[in-house]
């Protein structure tokens, strides 16, 4: 077993009313998912994790970013900030599936 093997991953989930996040924050959160960028746990503030700590920079250098865009379930899409109408229109699906460019 290698010393730098990822043994587990933890995700903090913080739920607040969607109205607490500005449209700009929601837009940036959607773009972050497509770009495979992680963010801090506060859903009403856009704060990419790679911008707030040298520790995170060191961790990012150790692990690779997934090549494929994630396939969000409707529930996951709602947590990111997609509306029911956007989900019904397939806007939460990877660009290759929804016909959108990145």
């Amino acid at each position: 077993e290698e010393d730098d093997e990822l043994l587990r991953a933890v995700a903090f989930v913080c739920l607040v009313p969607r109205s607490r996040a500005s449209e700009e924050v929601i837009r940036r959160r959607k773009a972050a998912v497509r770009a495979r960028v992680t963010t801090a746990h506060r859903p009403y503030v856009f704060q990419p994790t790679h911008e707030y700590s040298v520790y995170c920079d060191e961790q990012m250098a150790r692990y690779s970013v997934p090549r494929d865009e994630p396939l969000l379930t409707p529930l996951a899409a709602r947590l990111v900030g997609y509306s029911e109408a956007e989900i019904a229109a397939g806007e939460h699906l990877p660009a290759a599936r929804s016909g959108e460019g990145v």
Side-chain angles (χ1 to χ4, degrees):
E1 201 174 311
E2 294 185 29
D3 291 337
D4 63 352
E5 182 180 345
L6 180 64
L7 299 177
R8 71 180 184 149
V10 176
F12 293 98
V13 177
C14 179
L15 304 173
V16 297
R18 181 187 166 119
S19 60
R20 294 254 333 250
S22 69
E23 288 302 315
E24 176 65 13
V25 167
I26 291 172
R27 183 192 66 74
R28 293 180 76 189
R29 286 172 53 80
K30 292 174 186 177
V33 170
R34 291 193 183 280
R36 285 148 304 309
V37 171
T38 59
T39 61
H41 71 281
R42 295 179 299 164
Y44 50 91
V45 175
F46 185 77
Q47 185 179 19
T49 53
H50 66 272
E51 292 181 359
Y52 73 86
S53 170
V54 171
Y55 172 80
C56 290
D57 290 338
E58 291 170 0
Q59 293 302 310
M60 287 183 65
R62 293 176 63 193
Y63 303 108
S64 62
V65 175
R67 185 179 62 93
D68 296 328
E69 191 173 318
L71 177 59
L72 297 176
T73 64
L75 176 58
R78 291 282 295 156
L79 290 172
V80 170
Y82 285 92
S83 68
E84 291 293 337
E86 290 171 321
I87 293 168
E91 294 180 29
H92 67 296
L93 297 174
R97 291 195 176 184
S98 63
E100 300 174 7
V102 176

